[in-house]
Amino acid sequence: MLTLLCLISGIATIYVRYKQVHALNPEESRIIKLNKAGLVLGLLSCFGLSVVANFQKTAFFVVHVCGAVLTFGMGSLYMFVQTILSYQMQPKIHGKQVFWIRLLVVIWCGVSAFSMLTCSSLLYSGNFGKDIVQKLHWNPEDRGYVLHMITTAAEWSMSFSFFGFFLTYIRDFQKISLRVEANLHGLTLYDTAPCPVNNERTRLLSRDL
């Protein structure tokens, strides 16, 4: 359930960010291309999260690893692209502080990713036993325990860096307002000739752009 909430929240955040950047830079071709690339990378990362959640490591190791690569790999690239966008939009759209904060979070994510990849590669190299993939409970005296702990800590660190990066959107999203509009073509759902009706507009967020 928690993974599903994170997945939905991630998709919504990535899409709203895409629409906001597009609205702020309607004629900047470089920013438009980067923005579209960021949207694709973000959605791929969310898809990877869905794969990780639905295919457990002990039962579908290869699929689980592929999902993790999509989640963390595409997610890291998404953060990098958004940081470049922040650099491109300063100081016209926002201040330099936002860019530097996002750059620090990206560096944090990069260090965590390097630690996780290095230690996990050593851990699953085969030098610590063939059944290590199925191992769920670790003791300090087990072979590879230190590498396992570093890998786990780095994985959690990357997750927190993703969460921290999304938190940098808070001030940006306070400057945007979304609405959902329902256009009715008739007063019933039968196949009849359309007649003029009032359309309904409902705010999704309360702050105006």
Side-chain angles (χ1 to χ4, degrees):
M1 186 63 180
L2 179 60
T3 305
L4 178 61
L5 291 176
C6 292
L7 180 62
I8 295 174
S9 300
I11 293 175
T13 301
I14 290 166
Y15 181 73
V16 171
R17 176 62 179 174
Y18 165 77
K19 296 295 290 185
Q20 184 184 41
V21 173
H22 180 75
L24 291 171
N25 305 272
E27 298 179 356
E28 297 287 342
S29 60
R30 178 181 297 181
I31 292 181
I32 291 174
K33 291 179 181 179
L34 284 173
N35 194 31
K36 290 181 179 179
L39 175 64
V40 173
L41 291 171
L43 294 179
L44 286 175
S45 178
C46 291
F47 174 73
L49 180 61
S50 176
V51 172
V52 169
N54 288 284
F55 296 92
Q56 297 301 315
K57 176 182 175 181
T58 54
F60 305 95
F61 178 74
V62 176
V63 180
H64 184 87
V65 170
C66 290
V69 170
L70 275 178
T71 302
F72 292 116
M74 298 298 102
S76 300
L77 290 176
Y78 169 80
M79 292 165 57
F80 181 71
V81 168
Q82 288 297 325
T83 303
I84 295 177
L85 285 172
S86 298
Y87 177 79
Q88 295 286 341
M89 292 191 297
Q90 63 158 352
K92 181 179 178 181
I93 305 299
H94 57 65
K96 295 182 179 180
Q97 183 180 9
V98 175
F99 162 71
W100 285 111
I101 291 175
R102 288 173 182 164
L103 180 61
L104 288 175
V105 176
V106 168
I107 294 174
W108 168 19
C109 178
V111 172
S112 300
F114 178 78
S115 301
M116 184 181 68
L117 289 174
T118 302
C119 293
S120 61
S121 298
L122 294 174
L123 184 62
Y124 296 106
S125 62
N127 297 327
F128 299 95
K130 297 181 179 180
D131 59 341
I132 197 170
V133 175
Q134 307 294 331
K135 195 175 184 63
L136 296 177
H137 303 287
W138 290 77
N139 297 313
E141 62 273 9
D142 293 337
R143 295 182 61 196
Y145 176 79
V146 175
L147 290 175
H148 168 72
M149 294 302 296
I150 295 176
T151 301
T152 303
E155 185 176 346
W156 278 102
S157 179
M158 283 193 69
S159 301
F160 282 120
S161 70
F162 284 13
F163 181 70
F165 194 88
F166 280 171
L167 288 180
T168 65
Y169 288 159
I170 290 179
R171 292 188 63 186
D172 295 351
F173 286 176
Q174 288 175 345
K175 306 297 182 181
I176 190 174
S177 176
L178 298 179
R179 291 180 176 86
V180 58
E181 181 177 347
N183 294 318
L184 299 178
H185 300 285
L187 296 177
T188 68
L189 299 180
Y190 294 105
D191 295 330
T192 58
C195 59
V197 293
N198 293 327
N199 293 325
E200 179 182 349
R201 294 183 178 181
T202 305
R203 284 192 176 188
L204 296 181
L205 298 178
S206 60
R207 299 296 181 88
D208 291 328
L209 181 63

